[in-house]
Each structure stands twice: as C-alpha cells, then as structure tokens.
C-alpha cells in the first residue's frame, strides 16, 4: 500500500510560498515578507504536528455476507472499527481492496450507525486479502494529512461462476443419473436385494456382512456397486494448452474453469455421482449431492492454474468407463484431437476454447461430441446436446433460457 506524504498540495504550496517570502525579504529588504514567510512556515509545521502527534490505536473486525464470493456476485462487507484515542477525529476511511475485487470501500468517519459497510463484487477467482483499514485525517487548514492503517487483512475467496445448463432428459450410461441414484438409495440397508460373490478388485466397503456370515464367503452389495461414481469431468490445465501472459488472467482458461464448475454441479443435480480431476489425474473434487462437496470443488477451482503436462484419457478413466465423460481443454490441433480417446464412455463430450482447422472432425471421428467453448458457456453446452445426448432418441426441445 503506497504511503501518502505528510503535506497536502495546499501544504506544499504554503511551504514553498513561505520559503519564497523569506528569500524575497532578503533580496528586496521588505520586513513584511519576512513576517509572512515565517508565519506560513510556522502554520505548516503546526498543522503537521496537529495531525501526527496524537496517539491512536484500534481494532478491526470484518464480516462478509457470503463465505464464498462468486465471480460477478455482490456481497456486503461489514466492518466493526474500534478506535482508541483522546479525541475521535473527523476523518475519511477506506478499506484496501485487491484488483480482483471491486467496490466502493470508503466513507466518512465516524459513521452515524457506528458500523462501516460496503459492497464488493468478485472480478477474478482466487484467494485475496481485504484490508487493512486506513484512516485519513487532515488539519483544519488542509495543509497536512495523516494516513494510519489499522487491523489485519481478511481473506476472501472468489470462486468461478456457475451457470445453469440445459438438462439431460434421458438416461446416459448403463444406469442413468437421477433414476439410478434413487433406486440405489432405496436399496441401501435392505436385505431383499441379492448380493453377489466378492471378486478381486471390489471395495471392502461394499461387503454385505450379513450375507457373508450366512453363506460363509465374502459377498458384496449389488446396489452399492451400481451406485458407484458414473460421471467424470476432466479439466485439461496442461501448460501447452493455454496462454499465460504473466500474472494476467487468461480469459480462455477462466471460461474453462467456469465451464468445469458448471458441468460438475449440473451433473450432480441430474443425479450422478461426479468426480472432477485435472489432466494429470489430480482429484479436484468429488460431488455426491452435499453442499460441502460443492464448496470444496469451487475452492479447489478458485486456486487452479495452468501447469504440467496432460496424461492419456484412457489412463485417467481407468478400467471402468463412466457414463458422461466431459473433457474441457484449450487450444488443440488435429494431432492433439487424435490422441484424445473417449475410453469407452457412454457420452463423451469435448469442449475446447480454440479448435484448430480439422481438429473438430478428428475428435468427432474418435467418438466425441465437440463444441467450441466461447464466452457463452450455456450455448457451448447446448451445442453438444442438439438431440439431448443419450442412448435412446429424445424428442426435440427448444434451448433452455
């Protein structure tokens, strides 16, 4: 935070005028100029002492109306400022804001309500500091000023914007989303569903202990196997796909991150269990319908940045292909598209922020439904769903608004 000089423009003018009067008094021998010069310098010095001498201390507490601030979302910040001084000054206050957050965080002190508040709007995702609180006092003549910072900073997390996407109106994958989830929940804990024999690779969490004790061999719950995660969203953040102009945000990458968040939240609303990973296989989030899962994913996406290299999609998917497989990437050419294999997924959807000539056709030949990811995320999503992707044909519908 840059520190302001002690003298205002008026104070600098008064000091320069005083020095000029002293010089002129010696040159022309005019005592009146000497008196005026001394008076101007003395008044300026007194003004500096008046604002700098008082000892002040204080504490600051901030409360933000939302735990996570979404890009383009507005939230209110309430500041409780307790100033300890012999005399409460008339002053101007401002809360220091990062460039990633916009807002009018200034006003007169003391306020009529005793609380300071202002609105902020998320501009760029990430974790950013708000503060400290700066109090600016000026002497009655407007010659000197003092800026003093109070309190510590408070972090605000700006998460990517989540858009509402058009629904999948048919089942995708072996079981489908909402219908599958509902039947699985009804079956949990029931004994009337036939368990099956344990095979190598089954999770120990699926063991049906009552059936195991009854039959004398390991048995697993069939319904739990069916309710395993069946949607996968992959964010390709390999450095070669994106432009990185210093510390400036890459608009294409920001759009891709927002697309990733929107698709993941949309699929879990459709009833799917969703895993979100990056192109290196790092888990970014797992959504199972809980609010904490959603917030955890958004925080992880708020901190993600282009880096590293991408792994093969088949290696990322593993042995069990998901239903919907959503791959979000940046600039790709024909060679890149040829290496992107959908790994047997029931509904492979590919979004790229920049498709080189021929890349879309090559990706389509691999089995992807491909869309150019521009500024309009909802339009890109609808571009891969002209007939609502699924194993069975669906009645044509208009675009969601």
């Amino acid at each position: 935070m840059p520190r302001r000089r002690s003298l205002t423009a008026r104070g600098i003018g008064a000091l320069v005028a005083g020095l000029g009067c002293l010089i002129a008094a010696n040159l022309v021998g005019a005592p009146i100029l000497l008196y005026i010069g001394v008076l101007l310098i003395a008044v300026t010095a007194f003004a500096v002492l008046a604002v700098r001498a008082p000892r002040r201390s204080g504490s600051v507490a901030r409360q933000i109306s939302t735990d996570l601030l979404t890009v383009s979302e507005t939230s209110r910040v309430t500041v409780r400022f307790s100033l300890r001084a012999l005399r409460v000054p008339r002053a101007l206050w401002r809360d220091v804001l990062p460039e990633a957050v916009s807002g009018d965080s200034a006003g007169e002190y003391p306020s009529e309500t005793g609380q300071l508040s202002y609105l902020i709007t998320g501009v760029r995702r990430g974790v950013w500091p708000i503060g400290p609180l700066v109090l600016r006092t000026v002497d009655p003549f407007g010659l000197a000023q003092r800026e003093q910072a109070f309190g510590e900073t408070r972090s605000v997390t700006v998460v990517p914007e989540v858009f509402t996407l058009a629904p999948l109106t048919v089942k995708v994958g072996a079981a489908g989303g909402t219908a599958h989830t509902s039947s699985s929940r009804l079956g949990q804990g029931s004994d009337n569903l036939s368990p099956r024999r344990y095979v190598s690779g089954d999770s120990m969490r699926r063991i049906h202990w009552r059936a195991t004790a009854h039959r004398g061999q390991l048995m697993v719950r069939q319904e739990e196997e069916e309710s395993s995660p069946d949607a996968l969203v992959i964010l390709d953040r390999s450095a070669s796909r994106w432009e990185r102009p210093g510390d400036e945000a890459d608009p294409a990458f920001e759009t891709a991150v927002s697309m990733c968040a929107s698709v993941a939240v949309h699929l879990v609303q459709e009833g799917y269990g969703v895993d979100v990973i990056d192109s290196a296989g790092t888990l970014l989030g797992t959504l199972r319908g809980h609010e904490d899962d959603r917030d955890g994913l958004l925080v992880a996406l708020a901190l993600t940045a282009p880096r590293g290299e991408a792994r093969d999609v088949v290696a990322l998917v593993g042995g069990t292909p998901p239903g919907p497989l959503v791959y979000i990437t940046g600039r790709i050419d024909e060679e890149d598209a040829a290496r992107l294999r959908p790994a047997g997924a029931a509904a492979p959807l590919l979004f790229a922020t920049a498709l080189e000539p021929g890349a879309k056709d090559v990706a389509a030949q691999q089995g992807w439904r491909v869309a150019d990811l521009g500024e309009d995320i909802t339009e890109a999503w609808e571009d891969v769903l002209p007939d609502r992707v699924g194993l069975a044909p669906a009645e044509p519908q208009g675009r969601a608004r």
Side-chain angles (χ1 to χ4, degrees):
M1 180 183 66
R3 192 171 182 179
R4 294 198 182 190
R5 55 180 179 265
S6 296
L7 294 178
T8 64
R10 183 184 298 179
I12 293 175
L15 183 60
V16 171
L19 294 175
C21 288
L22 293 180
I23 295 173
N26 290 328
L27 292 179
V28 301
I32 186 64
L33 293 179
L34 178 63
Y35 299 146
I36 294 175
V38 171
L39 178 62
L40 288 175
I41 295 175
V43 171
T44 303
F46 176 79
V48 172
L49 289 175
V51 297
R52 303 289 297 184
R55 300 185 61 180
R56 300 170 187 152
S57 62
S59 60
V60 178
R62 296 178 185 83
Q63 182 178 2
I64 304 177
S65 61
T66 54
D67 294 332
L68 300 178
L69 181 64
T70 304
V71 171
S72 77
E73 180 187 12
T74 298
S75 181
R76 179 169 293 277
V77 179
T78 303
V79 183
R80 292 179 176 85
F81 177 39
S82 176
L83 178 64
R84 293 180 290 274
L86 292 177
R87 183 180 64 87
V88 177
R90 300 294 301 180
L92 298 176
W93 66 271
R94 63 183 176 91
D95 224 1
V96 179
L97 296 181
E99 294 183 357
V101 175
S102 65
D104 184 11
S105 59
E108 295 184 356
Y109 181 84
S111 65
E112 296 180 356
T113 61
Q115 289 187 346
L116 316 177
S117 67
Y118 57 93
L119 299 176
I120 58 174
T121 302
V123 176
R124 180 181 173 186
R125 62 184 179 83
V127 179
W128 311 100
I130 294 180
L133 183 84
V134 177
L135 199 65
R136 177 176 179 261
T137 54
V138 181
D139 74 286
F141 300 107
L143 302 177
Q145 63 184 354
R146 177 188 183 184
E147 280 197 347
Q148 187 176 0
F150 297 90
E152 303 293 332
T153 61
R154 186 193 191 284
S155 296
V156 59
T157 302
V158 182
V159 299
E161 188 171 4
V162 177
F163 293 87
T164 301
L165 304 179
L168 293 168
T169 57
V170 295
K171 297 180 181 180
V172 177
T178 304
H180 180 209
T181 301
S182 301
S183 63
S184 298
R185 289 177 179 172
L186 289 173
Q188 290 178 355
S190 302
D191 295 323
N192 57 346
L193 295 179
S194 299
R196 64 167 176 82
R197 187 178 292 180
Y198 173 88
V199 296
S200 179
D202 285 334
S203 172
M204 296 297 291
R205 293 176 297 178
R206 299 178 183 170
I207 293 179
H208 193 305
W209 294 109
R210 182 173 296 182
T212 297
H214 179 70
R215 301 191 183 185
Q217 58 182 344
L218 286 176
M219 307 293 292
V220 296
R221 294 181 184 275
Q222 186 73 26
E223 76 278 7
E224 290 190 6
E225 178 183 3
E226 292 175 352
S227 62
S228 60
D230 50 11
L232 183 63
V233 180
I234 303 175
L235 174 63
D236 184 358
R237 58 171 179 165
S238 53
S240 60
R241 298 283 189 261
W242 311 96
E243 297 181 5
R244 302 172 64 182
D247 293 332
E248 296 294 327
D250 181 355
F253 186 73
E254 298 303 309
T255 300
V257 172
S258 185
M259 183 68 174
C260 178
S262 301
V263 171
V265 171
H266 174 70
L267 289 177
V268 79
Q269 290 173 348
E270 290 277 302
Y272 295 96
V274 183
D275 286 339
V276 183
I277 63 176
D278 66 9
S279 51
T282 303
L283 182 66
L284 299 177
T286 300
L287 300 184
R288 297 296 181 267
H290 302 293
E291 188 70 20
D292 290 344
D293 294 345
R294 179 181 182 274
D295 291 347
L297 172 64
L298 293 179
V299 171
L301 291 177
L303 300 174
T304 192
R307 70 178 186 186
E309 297 296 331
R311 293 173 56 193
D312 184 70
V313 178
V314 177
L316 295 176
V317 171
T320 305
L325 169 62
V326 182
Y327 196 92
I328 304 167
T329 186
R331 182 178 299 275
I332 60 172
D333 54 23
E334 291 185 60
E335 185 178 350
D336 298 325
R339 290 196 295 263
L340 290 176
R341 295 172 292 170
L349 311 177
L350 175 63
F351 299 92
T353 60
L355 289 164
E356 299 290 342
K360 185 172 184 178
D361 294 335
V362 173
Q365 292 172 6
Q366 295 278 9
W368 295 96
R369 279 191 174 272
V370 190
D372 198 339
L373 181 56
E375 294 182 359
D376 193 333
I377 288 175
T378 58
E379 182 178 357
W381 174 256
E382 292 180 4
D383 284 344
V384 298
L385 305 175
D387 54 357
R388 299 297 187 261
V389 175
L391 298 180
E395 296 182 1
Q397 297 184 6
R399 288 187 174 183
R401 299 296 182 188

